[in-house]
């Protein structure tokens, strides 16, 4: 059972962008599993990709094609996403198939082959069913649309073990003109991004220069998708794309950039948190706030050490106020010259740890009350400086094991 049901929001039209889906039967018949995103000429596109050394063939090709487009001063024209098969761990065959997919879609749409960027998600190590995939491209193009339903169907078309589509949208006012930012994401397991997350596609009608677009993507990804973890596994296929079609207001001045950045961060954070809320088998949504660190990286290291602890995660699932597991995880984080006397740990509104041990006023009843909640905040103050970081994670349940044990069946 997923935590904190979220509804797919209304998605305004983004001028200069259309989405289409098809049922190609890549893994299972009768479900949307192929998505095409059409981007108008003159748009700008930025990308963030997995750092996994075994990056999937579509990641390699997407990076190559994006670089080629940017070298020409252009943006990509089409994105193609399939679910059901990751096309990862497939060697030269995988690269051939990713390029063949781009070539066929380019032919159908009448655009250069290297203006098509491919994305895949699903089972690792199996070749793509190319006949079915290529057969779905024309129906996906025929289904292109710009409205709310097109966004919703695209959100459904990129899912794997997710239980629901994930979307976010904000509308901003810039110099008297309305700017829209829409986004969809997918991800439920194999979540510990090292750039973005499984897949995310965010678009705006704003006009933004390429250098600024790249910078905005890096900044907002770092404080959203790079702050979530379900199971500590970084995917081979992670990608987050940011598209600015240039059909709306220009984002250039410091004030405009600040307003736009805040709106983009909101979309990115909502999409990232939606992945955690839909984490495989998750029953708890957990916020880890680490404060008073010597650096932001130190704060992140402590937060992720606690978030990845199987003992902490299983205690959360059991609603067991075994606070010693949190203390132990904090203590083994890679922090130099740790003074445990300065550390405090709070579970919700309950102080667990201070002065090197259990807080004087703590009772098991207080801890158990907080642990029974579906949304839990753990605050850790290190007493070492003024930097902080926040990470979002889940518990670890029986269902997580079952989902992943049965994944390929």
């Amino acid at each position: 059972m997923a935590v904190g049901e979220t509804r797919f929001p209304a998605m305004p039209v983004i001028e200069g962008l259309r989405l289409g889906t098809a049922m190609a039967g890549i893994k299972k018949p009768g479900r949307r599993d192929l998505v095409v995103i059409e981007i108008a000429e003159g748009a700008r596109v930025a990308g963030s990709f997995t750092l996994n050394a075994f990056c999937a063939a579509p990641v390699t090709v997407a990076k190559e094609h994006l670089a080629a487009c940017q070298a020409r001063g252009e943006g990509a024209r089409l994105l193609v996403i399939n679910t059901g098969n990751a096309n990862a761990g497939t060697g030269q065959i995988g690269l051939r198939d990713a390029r063949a997919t781009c070539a066929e879609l380019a032919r159908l749409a009448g655009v250069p082959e290297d203006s098509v960027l491919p994305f895949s998600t699903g089972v690792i190590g199996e070749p793509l069913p190319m006949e079915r995939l290529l057969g779905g491209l024309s129906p996906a193009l025929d289904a292109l649309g710009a409205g709310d339903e097109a966004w919703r169907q695209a959100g459904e078309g990129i899912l794997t073990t997710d239980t629901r589509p994930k979307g976010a949208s904000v509308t901003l006012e810039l110099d008297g003109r309305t700017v829209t930012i829409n986004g969809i994401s997918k991800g439920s397991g194999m979540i510990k991004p090292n750039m973005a997350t499984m897949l995310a596609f965010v678009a705006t009608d704003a006009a933004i220069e390429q250098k600024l677009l790249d910078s905005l993507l890096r900044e907002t990804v770092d404080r959203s998708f790079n702050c979530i973890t379900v199971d500590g596994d970084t995917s081979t296929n992670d990608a987050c794309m940011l598209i600015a079609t240039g059909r709306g207001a220009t984002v250039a001045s410091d004030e405009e950039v600040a307003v736009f950045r805040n709106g983009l961060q909101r979309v990115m954070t909502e999409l990232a948190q939606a992945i955690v809320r839909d984490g495989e088998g998750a029953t708890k949504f957990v916020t880890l706030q680490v404060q008073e660190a010597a650096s932001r990286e130190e704060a992140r290291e402590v937060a992720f050490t606690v978030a990845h602890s199987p003992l902490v995660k299983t205690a959360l699932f059991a609603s067991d106020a075994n606070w010693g597991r949190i203390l132990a995880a904090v203590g083994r984080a890679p922090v130099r010259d740790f003074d445990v006397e300065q550390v405090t740990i709070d579970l919700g509104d309950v102080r667990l740890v201070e002065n090197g041990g259990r807080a004087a006023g703590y009772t098991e009843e207080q801890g158990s009350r907080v642990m029974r909640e579906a949304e839990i905040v753990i605050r850790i103050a290190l007493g070492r400086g003024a930097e902080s970081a926040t990470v979002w994670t889940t518990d670890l349940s029986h269902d997580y094991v079952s989902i992943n044990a049965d994944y390929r069946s």
Side-chain angles (χ1 to χ4, degrees), residues 29-355:
R31 62 153 293 179
R32 294 185 180 89
D33 56 6
L34 187 64
V35 176
V36 170
I37 300 177
E38 178 193 65
I39 306 166
E41 191 172 3
R44 293 288 178 261
V45 180
S48 183
F49 300 92
T50 183
L51 298 182
N52 192 307
F54 275 104
C55 69
V59 172
T60 298
V61 175
K63 289 166 69 175
E64 290 175 354
H65 286 189
L66 183 61
C69 289
Q70 292 180 352
R72 297 195 298 267
E74 301 173 355
R77 297 296 308 280
L78 290 161
L79 312 183
V80 56
I81 310 109
N82 75 269
T83 186
N85 186 307
N87 193 15
T90 48
Q92 291 301 311
I93 292 174
L95 289 170
R96 180 201 67 193
D97 290 345
R99 293 191 173 108
T101 301
C102 294
E104 177 62 11
L105 184 56
R107 185 189 70 80
L108 291 170
V111 301
E113 181 179 331
D114 63 4
S115 70
V116 181
L117 310 185
F119 305 86
S120 300
T121 180
V123 176
I124 294 171
E126 296 182 5
L128 285 170
M130 288 300 290
E131 183 176 353
R132 296 196 296 273
L133 192 157
L134 297 180
L137 294 177
S138 184
L141 286 172
D142 291 342
L144 286 170
D148 183 74
E149 189 61 20
W151 279 96
R152 181 184 299 276
Q153 290 183 1
E156 294 172 353
I158 62 175
L159 304 183
T160 51
T161 59
D162 311 58
T163 67
R164 56 186 179 269
K166 302 164 181 66
S169 179
V170 300
T171 302
L172 310 170
E173 289 295 325
L174 288 179
D175 195 26
R177 298 182 67 185
T178 298
V179 166
T180 299
I181 308 172
N182 290 347
I184 54 175
S185 67
K186 66 82 50 188
S188 187
M190 197 178 278
I191 301 297
K192 197 282 181 176
N194 201 356
M195 45 56 60
T197 187
M198 289 292 291
L199 291 176
F201 304 96
V202 180
T204 178
D205 51 8
I208 306 174
E209 288 300 316
Q210 188 68 53
K211 185 177 180 180
L212 176 57
L213 193 71
D214 292 338
S215 175
L216 288 167
L217 179 62
R218 286 194 303 270
E219 291 175 32
T220 54
V221 159
D222 189 52
R223 295 183 178 273
S224 57
F225 296 117
N226 277 348
C227 293
I228 64 173
T229 180
V230 170
D231 46 24
D233 273 311
T234 295
S235 168
T236 53
N237 291 62
D238 291 348
C240 178
M241 307 304 296
L242 177 58
I243 303 158
T245 67
R247 298 304 195 265
T250 298
V251 176
S253 71
D254 289 347
E255 181 179 356
E256 291 164 346
V257 170
V259 172
F260 184 84
R261 180 190 290 112
N262 288 339
L264 179 60
Q265 188 68 71
R266 177 179 163 188
V267 168
M268 295 290 200
T269 300
E270 286 186 16
L271 292 174
Q273 290 186 353
I275 289 170
V276 176
R277 293 183 183 281
D278 196 25
E280 290 175 344
T283 69
K284 303 286 176 70
F285 178 86
V286 184
T287 301
L288 282 154
Q289 298 175 346
V290 179
Q291 303 162 341
E292 299 178 13
S295 67
R296 182 167 182 266
E297 185 56 34
E298 179 179 275
R300 284 169 55 86
E301 289 282 4
V302 173
F304 276 118
T305 300
V306 177
H308 291 152
S309 166
L311 292 178
V312 171
K313 293 170 84 70
T314 50
L316 288 162
F317 171 65
S319 300
D320 178 14
N322 192 345
W323 58 269
R325 294 181 175 182
I326 303 173
L327 176 145
V330 172
R332 68 177 171 83
V335 177
R336 301 181 66 179
D337 304 320
F338 215 153
D339 183 356
V340 298
E341 295 287 332
Q342 301 301 314
V343 176
T344 61
I345 302 175
D346 294 326
L347 181 67
D349 60 355
V350 176
R351 173 63 52 90
L352 299 176
V353 174
E354 60 186 2
N355 300 320

